[in-house]
Structures are given as structure tokens and as C-alpha cells.
Amino acid sequence: MKKIILSAIAIMAFAFTNAQETRFGVKGGLNISSIVGGDVRDANALVGFHIGGLAEIHLVEKFYIQPELLFSTQGAKFDNGFGNDLDIKLNYLNIPVLAKYYIVDKKFSVEAGPQLGFLLSEKWDNSDFDGDAKSVDFGFNFGAGYSFTDNFSVGLRYTVGLSPIWDDNIDDSGDLYDSAKNGNFQISAAYKFN
């Protein structure tokens, strides 16, 4: 874990020192999240939000690196078998690092990259629950965005969970593949400062 965090910091430090231009901004928006895989069969989407900051680091021509720091509310709704929904709410501090490429004159962009998430809280039906959710979550993002002005943009992104949410018994790659993971669709608006 320490090697991953130190590597991410080193890459971001290298990018900052070699960047031609760096802009900072804020972003926020809607999450539509769920839990997929494992014994989870009837999970429904849970609506939440994300909010935080970003840096857009210009490297070469139309290519940028965009690290972000986001508070994100995620989870899913389940039918508990008695006609009621059970909400599982997982709050994360997510750190995505995206490779971003502007296709059309700094208007339309595509992005992809890894994400490291730190679990802040786990709640089952609005009661604090000291469950067995893992404290670290890994994911991979891909998405697209559109800049209306130099400062204001909107984006769509999907995060595919790569690591199990809970501390299940995982003995081989088949167990890892079948384990319950986060899935999160984001609609966001961002404002970058000059």
C-alpha cells in the first residue's frame, strides 16, 4: 500500500514540475452507485453525491493529467425480503488520477485512469455500523467531458470497482472476480480557476 501511495505522489510531483500549465478547480455532482458481483443479486441503485477539488496539468499538446480529491457517497439499496429496502451507504475519500485528452479544440475530452478510495464510514439504514468493509477500495475510471467555457465544464464518468468491498474469503482469482465490488456513475460540473 505504501509503495502505491508513494508512486502516485512521485508521478504527480513529476507532472507538476514538468507541466507547462496547471489549473486548479472545484467539482461536484450526482452519483448513481450500486454494488455488483458476489452474493449480491438484487442490488438497486443508490443516489448520492460527490464534491471536491481537481488539478488539470497540461503535459503536451492536447494531453493532460487530472488528479482529484473527492468526497463521495456510494452504496446500494437491497430488498430485505420483508418488502422494505435496506440502504447500505459507503462514504469514501476518492483520489482518481486521470489521463485526459481533448479531442476538439479544448471542448470535448475523454479520460481514463485509476482511483484509490479510503472508506470514511459504513452505514446500514442510517445506523452506524462497524462492519467489515475494507478500508481501501481500488477502481478504474473512464468518461468524457465538455467545456462550455475556459472555466466551466460538465462530465460523465463510470468507475469500475476492482477490489472487493468486504473482507470475504478470497482464495483464488475466481473468488476475486466474483466478489462484491463498487460500481459508480457520476454526472458532474466543474469550475477551473484562471
Side-chain angles (χ1 to χ4, degrees):
M1 175 56 81
K2 289 181 182 178
K3 289 180 183 179
I4 293 171
I5 293 172
L6 291 175
S7 297
I9 291 170
I11 290 168
M12 289 184 351
F14 176 77
F16 275 114
T17 58
N18 291 315
Q20 296 175 7
E21 176 188 347
T22 300
R23 296 179 67 195
F24 296 94
V26 293
K27 71 178 296 187
L30 182 72
N31 285 349
I32 302 171
S33 63
S34 190
I35 297 173
V36 295
D39 293 330
V40 178
R41 299 291 179 238
D42 298 319
N44 295 312
L46 183 70
V47 176
F49 70 92
H50 62 277
I51 188 167
L54 63 92
E56 186 181 69
I57 306 162
H58 185 202
L59 295 181
V60 292
E61 296 183 10
K62 298 179 179 182
F63 185 69
Y64 292 74
I65 297 292
Q66 184 170 300
E68 300 175 356
L69 184 64
L70 302 173
F71 173 77
S72 181
T73 62
Q74 297 170 207
K77 287 180 174 286
F78 297 92
D79 183 351
N80 67 1
F82 299 104
N84 297 322
D85 282 336
L86 169 67
D87 292 353
I88 297 176
K89 297 180 180 178
L90 304 168
N91 295 329
Y92 288 95
L93 181 63
N94 287 330
I95 307 170
V97 179
L98 304 162
K100 186 173 184 178
Y101 183 79
Y102 281 97
I103 295 173
V104 180
D105 299 328
K106 273 196 96 172
K107 292 291 184 190
F108 181 71
S109 63
V110 292
E111 60 190 25
Q115 174 175 288
L116 179 64
F118 297 97
L119 183 69
L120 301 176
S121 67
E122 176 182 5
K123 295 185 179 186
W124 294 56
D125 269 342
N126 296 320
S127 63
D128 287 331
F129 176 74
D130 188 15
D132 56 358
K134 289 189 172 188
S135 59
V136 177
D137 184 62
F138 294 100
F140 190 83
N141 297 290
F142 57 92
Y146 185 81
S147 297
F148 290 98
T149 68
D150 285 343
N151 300 95
F152 180 72
S153 63
V154 294
L156 300 173
R157 181 184 300 169
Y158 186 74
T159 306
V160 177
L162 299 176
S163 62
I165 297 173
W166 291 289
D167 287 324
D168 297 329
N169 292 329
I170 295 176
D171 297 324
D172 56 31
S173 60
D175 289 344
L176 179 62
Y177 179 78
D178 290 335
S179 60
K181 299 175 186 69
N182 281 307
N184 189 31
F185 178 72
Q186 293 182 343
I187 303 168
S188 59
Y191 186 85
K192 289 174 281 202
F193 304 103
N194 289 331

